[in-house]
Amino acid sequence: MDVSHLLDQLNDAQRQAVAAPLAPALVLAGAGSGKTRVLVHRIAWLIQVEGVSPMGILAVTFTTKAAAEMRGRIQTLLGIPGASMWIGTFHGLAHRLLRRHWREAQLPQTFQILDSEDQTRLLRKVLKAMDLDETRWVPREIQWFINAQKDEGLRSKHLKDEGDATRRQLIRIYQAYEEACQRAGVVDFAELLLRAYEIWRDNAELLAHYQARFRHVLVDEFQDTNTIQYKWFTLLAGRTGLPFAVGDDDQSIYRWRGAKAENLNQFRRDFPAATLYKLEQNYRSTGTILKAANALIANNAGRLGKTLWTAGEEGERIKLYAAFNERDEADFVVNRIREWTDQGGARREVAILYRSNAQSRVFEEAFLNARLPYRVYGGLRFFERAEIKDALAYLRLISSRADDTSFERIVNLPTRGIGAKSVDALRDSARAAGTSLWAAALASMAAGSSAQRASQALGAFLALIDRLDQEINELELHERVDHVIQMSGLIEHYKKEKGDRGEGRIENLLELVSAARGFTPDTEDEHIAAMSPLDAFLAHAVLESGEGQADEWDDCVQMMTLHSAKGLEFPVVFLVGLEDGLFPHQRSVADLAGLEEERRLCYVGATRAMRRLYLTYAEQRRMYGIDSFGQPSRFLSELPVELIEEVRPRIQVSRPTFVARKPALETPVPGMRMGSRVRHGKFGDGVVLNFEGNGPHARVQVNFEGPGTKWLMLSYANLDLI
Ligand code: ATP
Ligand code: MG
């Protein structure tokens, strides 16, 4: 049998791991050292040399896209169809298992999967049936609680109230929710994993079957497994399985979602016979990029410790660009991409990586203007995001009461007790009378035809829209947007959605204010010029979202958050928005563990680059609707200066005119900015983490040495700069 081609394209250390004896193995190695490549070759080796059936292999990847790639590569290596193999994400494989064993899982054969929104909706119903007030028992918070328990492998019956009444109630809700799911025959995402684990745990025969079938369990990105995934995996591996895990503790970036890099160590305890393989040669990046990444991550404590080197060329220095502001930053990126494509490079070889989703907007705008095709990888484009559509629906309805689509979207968002039945009734009477929903609602109020509670809620909604309309009448466009997202309750609504997700939505909403502020209607077109600024802005939003994603296979620039860039590589990478508060994210700078995770994220970002790495930050940034003057990210100061080349801004004809003027300072307190040290009469000394809102409503977030992080109203706080 010719196996030489399998080992040909590997170095010694990689070969050792690929051709390892049939025993548990752990590959611990840095970015770009060929971990994923080793995993793929190991699968091919098992099939071709060890004679393992493709059906006897289970491999877990981090995304479905990575799974498809892996199948393709095995197919190329071996010439066998990869389709029959169990290669997928944890969720995907768990799903596959439950579809086969729906009986054992006590699910109907046609069980449905709830996405996050569906889950909230169901939870709402449960709360209602329990007669619990949603303002006290916030659905999104409870959802967070339930999913976190499931991720830890805990059912309601496992939880103890510890004498705490709130906790007791949460457990009761969790139980009622479990029952409701069971009755409806639905499972949420976290449930997929938990139930797939339970059917093995509680079913010795079934487990034995799968243990015998999948003796080879391979997992990529092992550092980001959570508790239930780890349990599922160890259960399957059992005492006789031959697990093969690859990972990099320096790239663990999902701690906030329950991932535990400690699982790398736990693996060595649970499989004491496991051989440890280390790969040290990096094949992806130039020497310069690698040195910078190594220097950066060296600032983290408690690493397992790895060295990475490359035999490749030193390459060019890393380009650092200090932009005047966020638009200048985007223009810089556009121009550099042009340079790349002019020299024959493809657009798809370029990636823009950012910390927060909301940062995509400014780049999207610049790319649209420059007619540069782009794709937001693993996410929606700005104007397609749900929360943006919510806010736009308010603005639309304010602008035109006859806009039924908008009416339906927001009539009960945030929840105000207008149920589906009431909306159905409105729809019927609107249809019968040939009027808009708004008109039907007015008529129903006048006739007193609905139940008192529903009617009150509806009346409040109509009054809200009318009031918002009046209140924003005299305001500038961006102030209108700001006022509406604040006073409609949308911000409050999304604040209840805990974690990164809710925060991302709020960032997007606030970014809409920036979008409005930077919006200039196309006065060339007489029809647009005749529209009110609000209507012109709304039309612009529809058009932008209507452009649709460029097709995956089109040659377009790749945009994505740092989190979704894991495992990928690109010849040219732009790491943008490198300002303290933005990256590292202000939420994470307050504690060391959070900061170290941000640093790992930065390490992941930098190590995506193969040939050319650009780092950019803006001295002034209009973000989330306010102007701020950021400090360059502390991560920049952790890079060796000799590896960096500062790009001096050249005078460009296309430079936005407002840059040429001295920009007016708009920080709420002169001289105060993110990172400023301040003193408060009661709370003592602290560091400014963030600002929110404008004028008299402006708030500041300070991390005080004693009491911790607090939001304060700037107008009352009496903060002194120190
Ligand atoms: P990450 O930590 O980012 O997931 P990784 O360790 O999984 O990275 P791979 O993606 O497998 O690394 O490999 C990085 C790049 O190096 C890929 O382009 C891969 O094809 C190439 N590569 C890996 N090993 C070799 C080798 N022995 N010879 C040539 N190229 C290699
Ligand atoms: Mg990889």
Side-chain angles (χ1 to χ4, degrees):
M1 189 180 306
D2 176 29
V3 296
S4 59
H5 74 283
L6 270 185
L7 299 178
D8 265 0
Q9 309 147 326
L10 302 170
N11 65 31
D12 270 350
Q14 293 173 335
R15 222 173 275 148
Q16 298 272 331
V18 166
L22 293 183
L26 175 65
V27 179
L28 180 65
S33 60
K35 291 183 299 299
T36 303
R37 190 184 181 101
V38 161
L39 192 102
V40 173
H41 279 75
R42 173 70 174 174
I43 296 175
W45 175 270
L46 289 172
I47 295 170
Q48 199 168 49
V49 181
E50 301 287 356
V52 175
S53 157
M55 311 284 285
I57 290 172
L58 184 141
V60 188
T61 61
F62 200 69
T63 60
T64 45
K65 187 160 178 270
E69 266 173 33
M70 204 168 273
R71 276 196 210 97
R73 281 166 76 178
I74 290 166
Q75 193 155 335
T76 329
L77 277 172
L78 297 182
I80 57 160
S84 63
M85 300 181 62
W86 282 55
I87 303 180
T89 60
F90 277 109
H91 285 99
L93 294 172
H95 178 225
R96 202 161 175 179
L97 205 62
L98 295 180
R99 285 285 168 214
R100 296 192 168 203
H101 302 290
W102 50 274
R103 281 199 197 83
E104 289 89 337
Q106 288 159 5
L107 288 170
Q109 189 170 9
T110 55
F111 73 86
Q112 299 296 308
I113 303 175
L114 300 181
D115 68 15
S116 173
E117 320 269 302
D118 299 332
Q119 193 186 9
T120 322
R121 223 169 290 133
L122 181 57
L123 205 47
R124 283 229 161 89
K125 280 196 196 152
V126 169
L127 291 169
K128 197 151 187 211
M130 294 175 80
D131 213 16
L132 291 174
D133 179 6
E134 273 193 27
T135 50
R136 165 93 174 79
W137 302 98
V138 180
R140 303 261 186 199
E141 285 177 15
I142 298 171
Q143 187 169 354
W144 182 265
F145 170 82
I146 291 176
N147 292 345
Q149 303 308 319
K150 290 187 179 184
D151 282 346
E152 288 296 314
L154 300 169
R155 294 255 170 233
S156 61
K157 62 174 183 225
H158 297 130
L159 301 178
K160 303 255 178 317
D161 64 23
E162 291 151 10
D164 180 309
T166 307
R167 190 170 159 86
R168 190 171 320 128
Q169 186 66 282
L170 280 173
I171 298 171
R172 255 190 235 131
I173 300 171
Y174 181 9
Q175 189 186 354
Y177 171 76
E178 286 175 312
E179 288 162 6
C181 287
Q182 194 58 32
R183 269 198 306 276
V186 293
V187 295
D188 57 52
F189 282 142
E191 181 74 24
L192 283 172
L193 297 176
L194 179 53
R195 192 130 345 175
Y197 164 73
E198 288 173 343
I199 60 169
W200 281 348
R201 185 197 59 193
D202 302 338
N203 228 304
E205 236 169 88
L206 196 67
L207 177 62
H209 166 81
Y210 278 99
Q211 284 179 334
R213 174 173 173 183
F214 295 125
R215 286 193 67 216
H216 299 276
V217 192
L218 301 93
V219 185
D220 199 1
E221 307 276 5
F222 198 75
Q223 74 279 359
D224 277 326
T225 49
N226 68 19
T227 300
I228 190 71
Q229 290 165 343
Y230 185 82
K231 282 179 150 191
W232 187 76
F233 160 84
T234 40
L235 195 58
L236 178 60
R239 246 166 302 175
T240 54
L242 302 165
F244 190 95
V246 313
D248 176 6
D249 57 312
D250 288 332
Q251 295 187 70
S252 155
I253 53 175
Y254 282 96
R255 196 178 60 109
W256 52 277
R257 250 196 222 165
K260 298 202 164 72
E262 300 89 87
N263 284 343
L264 288 167
N265 286 326
Q266 190 59 39
F267 180 91
R268 301 190 66 187
R269 285 192 287 274
D270 288 341
F271 301 95
T275 318
L276 179 68
Y277 296 91
K278 289 194 170 185
L279 313 176
E280 305 198 317
Q281 183 171 1
N282 170 293
Y283 286 90
R284 178 180 293 147
S285 311
T286 62
T288 303
I289 292 170
L290 201 59
K291 266 187 226 153
N294 284 342
L296 174 78
I297 200 68
N299 291 287
N300 272 9
R303 303 167 56 216
L304 296 177
K306 288 177 262 74
T307 39
L308 266 186
W309 61 277
T310 173
E313 54 184 57
E314 279 306 292
E316 48 192 70
R317 283 196 289 170
I318 295 164
K319 310 274 188 306
L320 172 65
Y321 182 64
F324 301 107
N325 57 27
E326 76 285 354
R327 291 182 186 212
D328 181 41
E329 183 184 41
D331 284 344
F332 172 79
V333 171
V334 166
N335 290 332
R336 292 296 88 78
I337 296 175
R338 284 256 166 76
E339 248 171 51
W340 174 257
T341 52
D342 287 349
Q343 291 161 8
R347 288 189 285 263
R348 73 165 70 83
E349 294 173 323
V350 179
I352 323 290
L353 309 181
Y354 37 82
R355 176 65 182 87
S356 307
N357 231 295
Q359 284 171 264
S360 77
R361 190 195 61 82
V362 178
F363 290 95
E364 290 186 54
E365 196 171 285
F367 291 157
L368 282 171
N369 285 338
R371 297 185 198 290
L372 199 59
Y374 70 91
R375 194 182 144 75
V376 179
Y377 177 95
L380 293 171
R381 302 182 357 154
F382 185 77
F383 282 106
E384 291 167 351
R385 296 174 189 158
E387 59 280 10
I388 296 302
K389 288 182 161 173
D390 295 341
L392 293 174
Y394 270 95
L395 292 163
R396 286 215 172 84
L397 194 61
I398 289 169
S399 181
S400 157
R401 299 293 195 281
D403 186 335
D404 285 353
T405 319
S406 298
F407 184 98
E408 287 208 29
R409 187 173 183 102
I410 56 173
V411 65
N412 199 32
L413 186 100
T415 329
R416 41 177 85 83
I418 303 173
K421 272 207 200 104
S422 314
V423 180
D424 284 346
L426 282 181
R427 220 181 279 123
D428 287 345
S429 49
R431 203 177 303 122
T435 62
S436 65
L437 289 170
W438 179 273
L442 282 178
S444 130
M445 298 287 304
S449 53
S450 42
Q452 204 195 344
R453 237 177 83 182
S455 154
Q456 261 176 13
L458 191 60
F461 173 67
L462 301 181
L464 172 70
I465 298 296
D466 282 339
R467 195 174 64 239
L468 287 174
D469 191 358
Q470 279 172 14
E471 286 168 354
I472 64 173
N473 218 337
E474 304 283 305
L475 301 179
E476 298 278 331
L477 176 60
H478 72 273
E479 293 169 338
R480 293 181 177 206
V481 177
D482 190 28
H483 189 82
V484 168
I485 62 172
Q486 303 285 351
M487 305 313 285
S488 60
L490 280 178
I491 293 271
E492 280 306 311
H493 173 70
Y494 281 119
K495 271 203 178 128
K496 290 172 187 159
E497 185 171 359
K498 279 219 177 151
D500 212 53
R501 199 174 168 132
E503 204 163 300
R505 291 188 194 275
I506 291 169
E507 289 172 352
N508 279 330
L509 283 172
L510 298 174
E511 183 59 20
L512 186 65
V513 182
S514 295
R517 201 164 184 181
F519 174 71
T520 28
D522 177 6
T523 43
E524 301 278 295
D525 183 310
E526 56 177 303
H527 296 289
I528 297 179
M531 288 165 99
S532 76
L534 178 59
D535 286 335
F537 178 67
L538 290 171
H540 159 82
V542 179
L543 290 175
E544 282 218 354
S545 67
E547 300 250 325
Q549 286 273 27
D551 201 53
E552 186 163 357
W553 311 111
D554 287 349
D555 182 26
C556 48
V557 175
Q558 313 282 312
M559 303 175 60
M560 66 196 80
T561 62
L562 285 151
H563 279 103
S564 37
K566 201 163 78 150
L568 307 178
E569 59 189 20
F570 306 91
V572 184
V573 167
F574 291 88
L575 225 64
V576 301
L578 279 160
E579 292 133 52
D580 258 15
L582 204 53
F583 189 32
H585 197 280
Q586 51 94 3
R587 161 168 46 83
S588 313
V589 295
D591 73 306
L592 188 63
L595 186 62
E596 292 208 336
E597 175 135 322
E598 294 287 303
R599 193 177 281 112
R600 288 194 292 272
L601 199 52
C602 191
Y603 174 77
V604 167
T607 54
R608 297 312 95 197
M610 299 163 81
R611 289 162 56 188
R612 201 173 274 182
L613 176 61
Y614 291 96
L615 308 173
T616 65
Y617 66 93
E619 288 167 349
Q620 178 185 6
R621 180 177 296 276
R622 179 172 293 172
M623 180 85 187
Y624 313 146
I626 56 168
D627 286 317
S628 53
F629 294 82
Q631 310 265 23
S633 168
R634 65 191 73 186
F635 298 148
L636 288 172
S637 63
E638 296 173 1
L639 304 174
V641 279
E642 68 276 11
L643 304 178
I644 308 281
E645 175 187 342
E646 283 200 54
V647 181
R648 295 275 153 230
R650 274 169 295 166
I651 302 300
Q652 294 162 328
V653 187
S654 66
R655 191 196 291 173
T657 43
F658 57 83
V659 173
R661 285 185 262 127
K662 194 81 195 124
L665 301 191
E666 282 190 62
T667 37
V669 173
M672 190 186 293
R673 45 159 128 180
M674 289 193 215
S676 292
R677 291 195 60 81
V678 291
R679 182 162 295 158
H680 183 271
K682 186 158 147 229
F683 301 132
D685 293 355
V687 176
V688 174
L689 297 181
N690 201 9
F691 296 103
E692 190 182 274
N694 298 312
H697 302 300
R699 304 195 307 148
V700 59
Q701 189 187 31
V702 183
N703 183 22
F704 289 106
E705 279 158 15
T709 305
K710 295 214 176 299
W711 278 104
L712 304 168
M713 294 292 281
L714 254 180
S715 35
Y716 304 112
N718 272 330
L719 290 172
D720 290 325
L721 272 169
I722 49 177

